């Protein structure tokens, strides 16, 4: 009886998670593929050994960091206001932001129009997590 209840609860959690996360990227991407996707970001951002121009923030350790809280970077007023309530960059928030930066944070200085393919978003998030040693696994 107890194992049946555990199974039902486990399936409920999985079903609930898939409904809540509907349309958003999951954390099961491939970091190597994410590095290739990162080439779109490297025009402005750097991350670990991926290099890139420094117009944007270095994205090393971005996963789990408070929004607009990295030291020594001048964030836009819009991004500071968006993060003022303590939001942190997690799978769901990164997926939303990467899909439509200007829609999620109107007034952001980030000119990128967003990733339209969910698989690219998953892979990019996996890459960013690989640059954050304390990030949870998939």
């Amino acid at each position: 009886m107890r194992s049946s209840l555990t199974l039902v609860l486990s399936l409920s959690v999985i079903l609930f998670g898939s409904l809540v996360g509907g349309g958003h990227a999951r954390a099961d991407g491939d970091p190597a593929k994410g590095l290739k996707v990162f080439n779109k970001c490297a025009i402005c951002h750097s991350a670990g050994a991926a290099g890139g121009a420094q117009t944007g923030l270095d994205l090393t350790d971005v996963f789990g960091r408070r929004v607009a809280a990295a030291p020594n970077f001048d964030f836009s007023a819009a991004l500071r206001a968006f993060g003022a309530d303590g939001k942190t960059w997690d799978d769901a928030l990164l997926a939303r932001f990467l899909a439509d930066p200007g829609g999620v944070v109107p007034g952001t200085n980030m000119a990128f129009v967003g990733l339209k393919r969910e698989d690219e978003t998953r892979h990019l998030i996996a890459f960013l997590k690989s640059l954050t040693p304390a990030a949870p696994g998939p």
Side-chain angles (χ1 to χ4, degrees):
M1 177 72 163
R2 186 174 176 93
S3 62
S4 297
L5 179 59
T6 302
L7 177 62
V8 168
L9 288 173
S10 297
L11 291 173
S12 297
V13 168
I14 291 168
L15 178 59
F16 179 73
S18 67
L19 292 174
V20 169
H24 292 300
R26 297 182 322 264
D28 60 355
D30 180 340
K33 290 179 181 178
L35 174 57
K36 290 178 184 175
V37 176
F38 184 76
N39 287 330
K40 296 177 183 186
C41 311
I43 294 167
C44 297
H45 294 279
S46 61
Q54 284 295 316
T55 334
L57 175 68
D58 183 296
L59 297 176
T60 303
D61 292 328
V62 71
F63 193 87
R65 185 189 315 154
R66 287 187 56 197
V67 172
N72 305 319
F73 189 81
D74 186 22
F75 292 96
S76 67
L79 198 59
R80 286 193 311 270
F82 179 73
D85 63 356
K87 288 179 188 74
T88 60
W89 293 114
D90 61 12
D91 288 82
L93 185 57
L94 279 168
R96 284 182 40 228
F97 185 74
L98 292 170
D100 185 13
V104 173
V105 183
T108 182
N109 290 340
M110 193 160 124
F112 184 64
V113 296
L115 295 172
K116 301 306 173 205
R117 293 181 30 208
E118 187 176 320
D119 64 320
E120 287 186 328
T121 304
R122 275 195 327 271
H123 298 319
L124 181 56
I125 290 171
F127 171 69
L128 293 173
K129 279 184 171 183
S130 76
L131 299 173
T132 306

